[in-house]
């Protein structure tokens, strides 16, 4: 049992998990009080449940509604909250600083959608290089009048891909590009040394060198103060006119007006975009007007396999946490001492030390 006899750890979520397996795993436990909330419920009633909850499984940014973002205002109204967990790998919609200050752990599901997103990025690379997206649009528009030789594409074998952020997803994309197509992989990741980048099938490069040499630039870093607006006018200007820009990471890492300008002025050959500042983007979003842009509505990580893995991993992580064991994917380990004290005061025993603090 995770708690004192007769006591349950309260865990709340809104509407649904991305896969029902999480509710199956947690719903049958006698030490977890799993509560499903609805945005349509009277707000005061939701606050009553939230104020007593120990854990909050947070919907993804696209579906999450105000005032249920885990920020300082929510924390002030939830004195029992011990941890908040994101749906997927991203957690930029959770105020990590506010949580840390309050002794609240932030967890994510990093690594659970690695294959899905890496394959999606590779799919965008192939579709852009082979001009599949443009061909599909023109064929539907012009039918028999189409000139197929005007749609000549390129093979990606032997080309250079520049990967910004060589974590789990970027590393898997590097493995696919290098192993399947013999591509040269340049990587920019200030948190990895050259030897580790080589181990992950890449060659370390500065961001400028990567932009200047790459035929494809693929973004795989989290959105943070450091990366917000990382790709703007200067970065697109540094790319080759024949190069393509791909972002399956987070909206806001690239400046959308700057990308629009680069495409309109033909400074780059095209783009594959899965993420936007506002999601889903409106139908009249400027980037959607370009035939050489392949756009998807933040679906890179949404595969049957990934959603099941994200949900089951999140459920297992909550069980570990409520049993006083270190969750495997803590974003803010510096909050562990304060979290441990609060946990002990609520559940009557101290959690194990965090092995990777």
């Amino acid at each position: 049992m995770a708690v004192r006899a007769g006591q349950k750890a309260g865990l709340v979520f809104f509407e649904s998990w991305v896969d029902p397996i999480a509710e199956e795993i947690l719903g049958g436990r006698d030490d977890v009080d799993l509560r499903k909330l609805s945005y349509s419920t009277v707000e005061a009633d939701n606050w009553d449940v939230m104020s007593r909850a120990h854990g909050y499984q947070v919907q993804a940014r696209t579906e999450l509604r105000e005032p249920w973002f885990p920020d300082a205002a929510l924390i002030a109204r939830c004195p029992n909250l011990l941890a908040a967990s994101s749906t997927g790998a991203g957690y930029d919609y959770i105020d990590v600083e506010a949580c840390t200050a309050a002794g609240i752990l932030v967890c994510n599901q990093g690594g659970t959608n690695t294959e899905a997103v890496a394959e999606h990025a590779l799919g965008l690379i192939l579709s852009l290089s082979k001009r599949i997206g443009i061909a599909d649009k023109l064929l539907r528009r012009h039918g028999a009048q189409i000139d197929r030789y005007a749609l000549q594409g390129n093979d990606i074998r032997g080309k250079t891909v520049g990967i910004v952020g060589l974590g789990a997803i970027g590393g898997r994309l590097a493995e696919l590009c290098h192993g399947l197509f013999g591509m040269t992989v340049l990587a920019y990741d200030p948190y990895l040394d050259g030897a580790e980048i080589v181990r992950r099938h890449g060659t370390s490069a500065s961001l400028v060198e990567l932009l200047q040499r790459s035929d494809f630039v693929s973004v795989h870093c989290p959105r943070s103060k450091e990366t917000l607006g990382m790709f703007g006018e200067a970065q697109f200007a540094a790319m080759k006119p024949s190069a393509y820009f791909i972002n399956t990471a987070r909206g806001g890492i690239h400046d959308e007006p700057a990308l629009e300008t680069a495409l309109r002025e033909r400074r780059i050959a095209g783009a594959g975009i899965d993420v936007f500042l506002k999601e889903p983007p409106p139908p009249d979003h400027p980037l959607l007007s370009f035939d050489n842009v392949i756009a998807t509505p933040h679906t890179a990580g949404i595969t049957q396999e990934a959603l099941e893995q994200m949900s089951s991993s999140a459920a297992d992580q909550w069980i570990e946490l409520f049993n006083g064991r270190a969750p495997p994917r803590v974003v803010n380990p510096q909050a562990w001492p304060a979290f441990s004290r609060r946990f002990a005061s609520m559940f009557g025993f101290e959690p194990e030390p965090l092995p990777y603090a």
Side-chain angles (χ1 to χ4, degrees):
M1 293 288 290
V3 296
R4 299 184 184 101
Q7 185 183 10
K8 291 187 176 184
L11 175 61
V12 298
F13 67 100
F14 275 93
E15 303 301 342
S16 65
W17 296 64
V18 292
D19 189 277
I21 191 172
E23 294 178 63
E24 296 171 11
I25 293 171
L26 293 165
R29 296 186 65 87
D30 59 6
D31 55 352
V32 176
D33 180 17
L34 185 65
R35 300 292 298 274
K36 177 180 178 179
L37 304 179
S38 174
Y39 296 124
S40 62
T41 300
V42 175
E43 191 172 295
D45 292 342
N46 281 338
W47 279 121
D48 180 59
V49 178
M50 287 288 296
S51 68
R52 291 180 275 113
H54 302 105
Y56 180 21
Q57 179 67 33
V58 191
Q59 274 202 310
R61 176 187 288 275
T62 303
E63 290 77 31
L64 187 60
R65 300 184 189 177
E66 294 285 1
W68 309 113
F69 283 77
D71 55 18
L74 182 141
I75 290 169
R77 301 184 67 166
C78 300
N80 295 312
L81 192 61
L82 288 169
S85 174
S86 67
T87 297
Y91 52 88
D92 50 281
Y93 53 96
I94 298 175
D95 190 333
V96 178
E97 290 184 4
C99 286
T100 301
I104 296 171
L105 290 187
V106 177
C107 302
N108 72 347
Q109 313 316 317
T112 58
N113 61 359
T114 294
E115 189 65 29
V117 180
E119 288 184 11
H120 195 95
L122 179 58
L124 291 173
I125 289 172
L126 284 165
S127 294
L128 289 164
S129 187
K130 302 296 183 181
R131 308 194 74 188
I132 294 171
I134 295 176
D136 177 77
K137 294 171 185 176
L138 295 181
L139 183 61
R140 295 172 188 273
R141 202 176 295 159
H142 303 294
Q145 306 303 315
I146 197 169
D147 177 6
R148 65 193 181 106
Y149 288 100
L151 293 170
Q152 120 181 315
N154 295 98
D155 296 338
I156 69 171
R157 183 168 183 81
K159 298 296 192 301
T160 297
V161 58
I163 299 177
V164 179
L166 204 65
I169 295 170
R172 177 57 176 154
L173 178 63
E175 182 181 23
L176 291 171
C177 289
H178 174 76
L180 293 175
F181 299 102
M183 299 181 77
T184 296
V185 178
L186 300 179
Y188 171 71
D189 193 322
Y191 296 98
L192 299 177
D193 61 27
E196 180 59 24
I197 287 175
V198 168
R199 195 184 72 79
R200 300 186 189 192
H201 309 283
T203 299
S204 181
S206 68
L207 182 59
V208 172
E209 180 188 3
L210 182 149
L211 295 173
Q212 292 173 341
R213 291 179 54 191
S214 297
D215 300 298
F216 307 92
V217 174
S218 192
V219 180
H220 299 283
C221 54
R223 187 171 85 175
S224 64
K225 293 178 181 178
E226 183 182 12
T227 63
L228 191 64
M230 183 179 189
F231 287 86
E233 181 180 354
Q235 287 70 39
F236 293 125
M239 292 174 61
K240 297 192 293 187
S242 59
Y244 295 94
F245 176 76
I246 295 99
N247 189 357
T248 55
R250 276 293 184 272
I253 295 177
H254 69 270
D255 181 272
E256 291 178 355
L259 178 57
E260 177 193 353
T261 299
L263 290 163
R264 184 185 303 109
E265 297 180 357
R266 299 184 179 180
R267 297 178 191 171
I268 62 174
I273 304 297
D274 184 56
V275 288
F276 295 82
L277 267 177
K278 181 181 179 181
E279 296 180 346
D284 61 351
H285 192 289
L287 291 176
L288 301 182
S289 67
F290 292 92
D291 284 343
N292 57 341
V293 171
I294 298 178
T296 50
H298 206 152
T299 55
I302 299 181
T303 65
Q304 179 179 339
E305 295 84 357
L307 294 181
E308 181 177 349
Q309 181 63 28
M310 281 191 283
S311 295
S312 62
S313 294
D316 291 341
Q317 184 159 238
W318 281 116
I319 292 170
E320 290 292 284
L321 188 149
F322 289 142
N323 274 285
R325 293 190 288 268
R329 294 175 296 277
V330 175
V331 170
N332 58 340
Q334 63 271 33
W336 189 261
F339 160 82
S340 296
R341 291 191 295 270
R342 298 180 65 236
F343 184 100
S345 69
M346 294 180 196
F347 293 147
F349 67 98
E350 291 188 3
E352 298 175 358
L354 192 65
Y356 48 89

